[in-house]
Amino acid sequence: MPVPIPRQRAIPAAESGQAQAASPGGGTSSEEAPRKEETVENTTHTNLTLLLIEDDPGGSALVPELLDSAGKPIRVRTARNLTEAERLLTDDVHCILLDLALPAPGRAGDDELAVLRHVLELAPRHAVLALTASGDAERGAEAVRVGAQDYLFRDELDGRLLSRAIRYAVERKRSDTAERRLAEGRMRAQENRRLERGLLPTPLLEGSSLRFAARYRPGRSRALLGGDFYDVVRTADGTVHAMIGDVCGHGPDEAALGVELRIAWRALTLAGLCGDALLGTLQEVLEHERSDDEIFATLCTVDIAPDGRRAGLCLAGHPSPLIARPGRPAQLLPYDNNGPALGLLPGARWPRMEVKLGAEWSLMLYTDGLIEGRVGEGRERLGQDGMVEMVRRQLAEGLRGEALLRAAVNEVRDLNGGELTDDVAVLLLDRGV
């Protein structure tokens, strides 16, 4: 067992190349101490600094000369009580060596680790080494369970052991901090995913014979929600209303605005609005909720009559839907009366076009993310004509419903040579005989 080491005051240290004067209690003065901020980071190119918190009624303690892994001296500051320690606890302190025998002000006397708990509250970002009496391993182990990085026996301390313990404590604290931040990031990501998933629409088609399918792919990395939005509801008179839209931009603000417009559309539709009156009210919502006057949204609405053979179509700067019927090639619905996007022209109007659907059909609504992907390595884009040809071929292969949408989105992605940068939303309504 090493010979007990006498105690000494803090070793004067060079702070950023300039010597600091020791205060009467050891360490630096409060005027010279930097602000208290992050601590256990960026130690690779900086001398380590140890704050020793230890009271010696019998005289000064001797702390042996300490060296870091590069052979540079570890700087030491000494505090004789917690009040002085708080003053010396600055952002250039990397580790605290705490004597567990110190009293903790305002703590219950039966708590043997009260002083440690106080220091951990005072310095949550610092590495902490607990100093206890020889043979009191149980108390040291409990100190580690409470939050210290390690514990040392007072009468077995030497420079080599303490230097190694300091380096270990600093690295372990850095690792613990990184792990905690990673866990917090994962929890935030999970919470965001739950929130976004809850904002995705749930179609209201109870009582309708129409079949529904949808595919949604946001352009933002690791997101569930983008600026595209869609919804389908059936009103009490049996009419099925479908909508798809696109807010310009791809960030979280655009995603939030898309959710607001979708919810407003559902509420207004269930309240009986349709066509020009509905779109005009949605434009007012957009104008009040958007963060910038240049933000706009395109929209396509379809209201399908209860017999399923007729529909009304309104386009606000949006691509026209595609319709597929047995024995006829898939084609786009008329788009001659396409009105302006919402938010561009105050007082704009959006005419409602009557469309004959027939007895059996499939109606596909989509956003421009499906048609603006590139084709090959050049600048050519798929476009509406390319999309129509692609869907015709896939229908001829027997694809329907969810399988058709999945194949369409996957092929567009493959043609683009990788992930699409724009949001993509596609929904399909089918009526069979």
Side-chain angles (χ1 to χ4, degrees):
M1 179 181 296
V3 178
I5 301 172
R7 306 170 133 193
Q8 72 168 22
R9 287 182 177 274
I11 299 171
E15 306 285 348
S16 302
Q18 296 180 352
Q20 287 192 346
S23 65
T28 54
S29 64
S30 59
E31 291 78 13
E32 296 167 330
R35 291 182 301 109
K36 187 193 308 180
E37 294 176 351
E38 296 283 342
T39 59
V40 190
E41 301 179 19
N42 302 324
T43 62
T44 305
H45 305 291
T46 307
N47 286 20
L48 292 175
T49 300
L50 173 71
L51 175 60
L52 172 64
I53 309 176
E54 186 177 20
D55 182 25
D56 178 20
S60 297
L62 175 65
V63 174
E65 183 177 355
L66 307 174
L67 300 177
D68 62 16
S69 58
K72 297 180 180 179
I74 296 177
R75 300 171 296 194
V76 181
R77 296 176 183 170
T78 301
R80 300 189 181 281
N81 53 59
L82 296 179
T83 301
E84 188 175 336
E86 184 173 3
R87 178 171 59 83
L88 298 176
L89 190 60
T90 55
D91 64 342
D92 59 343
V93 172
H94 303 102
C95 185
I96 298 171
L97 180 59
L98 172 67
D99 185 356
L100 296 180
L102 273 175
R107 296 283 182 172
D110 57 349
D111 186 356
E112 294 184 347
L113 297 177
V115 65
L116 174 61
R117 300 181 198 278
H118 185 90
V119 169
L120 291 174
E121 291 177 5
L122 188 66
R125 299 184 181 94
H126 291 73
V128 177
L129 289 171
L131 193 60
T132 187
S134 177
D136 197 0
E138 184 176 346
R139 188 179 186 188
E142 181 63 23
V144 173
R145 284 193 290 269
V146 168
Q149 273 59 60
D150 205 348
Y151 69 93
L152 300 168
F153 294 134
R154 187 182 297 107
D155 55 356
E156 295 181 5
L157 206 60
D158 61 24
R160 191 172 181 180
L161 173 64
L162 181 54
S163 298
R164 186 170 64 248
I166 292 170
R167 296 196 301 270
Y168 168 78
V170 169
E171 292 302 324
R172 182 174 177 183
K173 184 64 177 181
R174 180 188 292 138
S175 176
D176 291 345
T177 300
E179 186 175 350
R180 174 179 54 81
R181 288 177 177 171
L182 180 61
E184 290 174 351
R186 286 173 176 168
M187 290 182 63
R188 284 194 298 268
Q190 291 172 359
E191 191 67 28
N192 290 340
R193 290 177 70 85
R194 283 195 294 269
L195 176 61
E196 290 182 345
R197 190 176 293 111
L199 294 174
L200 290 174
T202 301
L204 301 179
L205 283 174
E206 185 177 358
S208 172
S209 61
L210 300 183
R211 295 185 297 271
F212 169 83
R215 297 287 289 179
Y216 192 93
R217 184 191 293 268
R220 289 187 297 137
S221 175
R222 295 187 298 275
L224 289 177
L225 205 61
D228 290 4
F229 54 99
Y230 67 89
D231 205 351
V232 179
V233 298
R234 179 178 183 268
T235 49
D237 62 355
T239 302
V240 172
H241 303 260
M243 171 272 291
I244 197 165
D246 182 3
V247 177
C248 65
H250 313 291
D253 291 339
E254 289 76 14
L257 182 56
V259 171
E260 291 183 86
L261 291 175
R262 180 186 69 78
I263 294 174
W265 176 87
R266 174 174 286 202
L268 294 170
T269 300
L270 293 175
L273 271 68
C274 185
D276 184 72
L278 173 59
L279 293 176
T281 307
L282 284 178
Q283 173 158 281
E284 291 184 31
V285 173
L286 183 145
E287 290 171 345
H288 284 94
E289 298 297 330
R290 63 186 175 184
S291 58
D292 189 290
D293 289 343
E294 296 184 357
I295 292 179
F296 61 90
T298 66
L299 196 71
C300 167
T301 66
V302 176
D303 56 278
I304 302 168
D307 63 6
R309 294 176 173 269
R310 297 169 291 108
L313 172 66
C314 285
L315 298 174
H318 200 88
S320 183
L322 178 146
I323 187 168
R325 289 169 282 207
R328 301 168 61 177
Q331 63 182 38
L332 299 176
L333 290 179
Y335 51 88
D336 298 336
N337 290 328
N338 197 333
L342 303 181
L344 290 184
L345 298 176
R349 304 297 298 272
W350 296 271
R352 178 178 176 274
M353 298 173 282
E354 287 281 350
V355 179
K356 292 183 179 180
L357 301 177
E360 187 176 355
W361 47 263
S362 295
L363 190 64
M364 189 175 83
L365 284 65
Y366 53 93
T367 58
D368 59 8
L370 189 68
I371 59 177
E372 291 190 348
R374 299 187 183 280
V375 179
E377 298 181 357
R379 292 192 170 187
E380 182 183 358
R381 298 186 182 274
L382 178 64
Q384 285 182 290
D385 291 340
M387 180 204 67
V388 171
E389 291 299 324
M390 178 187 70
V391 173
R392 285 176 178 175
R393 173 171 42 80
Q394 291 169 343
L395 288 169
E397 294 171 357
L399 296 176
R400 297 292 186 274
E402 185 76 32
L404 173 64
L405 298 188
R406 181 168 56 252
V409 173
N410 288 342
E411 183 169 337
V412 168
R413 177 185 175 278
D414 293 340
L415 291 171
N416 190 61
E419 289 295 342
L420 301 165
T421 57
D422 198 2
D423 305 326
V424 177
V426 193
L427 68 87
L428 190 69
L429 289 171
D430 287 310
R431 182 176 189 267
V433 177

